[in-house]
Amino acid sequence: MSDEKKQKAKQVAAENGVSVTTNALDQNWKLTVTRINPAGAAVLGAAPLYLALVPLTSYLTKPNSVVQKLSETLIKLVPGVGISSISSGRAIPALAAIYLFWTFGASGAASAAGQAMAREEGLDNDHPRKHVTNLEGLPLRLRSAHYALMENFPGFALAAALAQVIAPTDSQVVNLLGFHVVAKLLVHYPAYLANIAVPRTLAHISATSALINVCWRLAAGA
């Protein structure tokens, strides 16, 4: 078998969970099948939690709740946005501005900084993603936390857009969106960087439940 065909066979095998090695002397092939841990499927048990926490997010985001106060504090960090803007239906765009900045700006810069920290030569700006597979420790967590935010942003964007069109002044809907932003930026992201699994996971699940809650309420006309 030609070297080109052997390389192609190795690539196809690797894509199917098989590691292929050859002996340099006799060219005998050795196949190692990647084992699957069936117990890992138990993680699927977390799926119902995304619905189970919907009532909790409703309770935590009632009008005049702590979540509302935290959301308003965040919103007022946006220049030109005050209490009148919050009450007149512009709270959701303000939350979106904060989330956009942190997801694609601040955490993106932190991710790039992590790559620079991981190499003695610093960041390779000519090939900025060339070395991402070699990241470990804090540099890896900086990148992973950044991508975790980006993975969740489309869900927030959808819920926020629907809310802005259907119920821009509904205080509980706004509070639920605020809860999502607070949970992701003030709990999930720092916990990811600090490598603290429990608050990171709970923040992610509850933040996602809040978005489900928003769409559910809008669909039901609540």
Side-chain angles (χ1 to χ4, degrees):
M1 183 181 292
S2 67
D3 290 342
E4 182 179 349
K5 289 183 177 179
K6 288 178 181 178
Q7 190 61 35
K8 180 64 176 178
K10 287 183 180 182
Q11 181 180 347
V12 172
E15 291 172 353
N16 288 278
V18 179
S19 174
V20 182
T21 58
T22 59
N23 185 298
L25 295 177
D26 58 19
Q27 294 296 305
N28 289 329
W29 287 58
K30 178 182 178 182
L31 301 181
T32 304
V33 179
T34 302
R35 294 187 177 183
I36 296 176
N37 178 11
V43 177
L44 282 171
L49 288 176
Y50 290 92
L51 293 178
L53 291 185
V54 166
L56 177 62
T57 61
S58 293
Y59 174 77
L60 294 174
T61 57
K62 291 180 179 180
N64 301 314
S65 61
V66 173
V67 169
Q68 179 170 327
K69 291 178 172 58
L70 282 172
S71 299
E72 290 176 351
T73 300
L74 269 180
I75 288 169
K76 285 186 285 187
L77 293 176
V78 180
V81 178
I83 294 297
S84 60
S85 298
I86 295 172
S87 59
S88 62
R90 293 195 291 273
I92 295 174
L95 287 170
I98 294 167
Y99 204 8
L100 269 168
F101 163 72
W102 198 265
T103 298
F104 297 99
S107 75
S111 175
Q115 294 179 54
M117 291 162 55
R119 302 180 69 242
E120 291 185 5
E121 303 87 347
L123 180 66
D124 182 357
N125 204 36
D126 292 326
H127 307 283
R129 301 188 183 186
K130 181 178 179 180
H131 307 283
V132 295
T133 56
N134 300 322
L135 298 177
E136 293 182 358
L138 178 59
L140 175 59
R141 294 197 297 275
L142 284 165
R143 178 174 170 80
S144 298
H146 169 54
Y147 272 80
L149 287 178
M150 291 200 298
E151 289 165 2
N152 282 266
F153 187 83
F156 170 83
L158 173 62
L162 290 172
Q164 185 64 26
V165 171
I166 299 173
T169 58
D170 186 310
S171 60
Q172 182 134 31
V173 167
V174 174
N175 289 347
L176 283 164
L177 292 170
F179 176 89
H180 176 87
V181 174
V182 168
K184 295 301 290 186
L185 302 191
L186 301 186
V187 181
H188 180 265
Y189 186 78
Y192 215 130
L193 300 189
N195 201 26
I196 306 175
V198 174
R200 181 190 68 209
T201 301
L202 290 177
H204 168 69
I205 294 175
S206 61
T208 304
S209 296
L211 296 183
I212 295 171
N213 198 347
V214 168
C215 294
W216 199 334
R217 285 173 173 273
L218 295 175

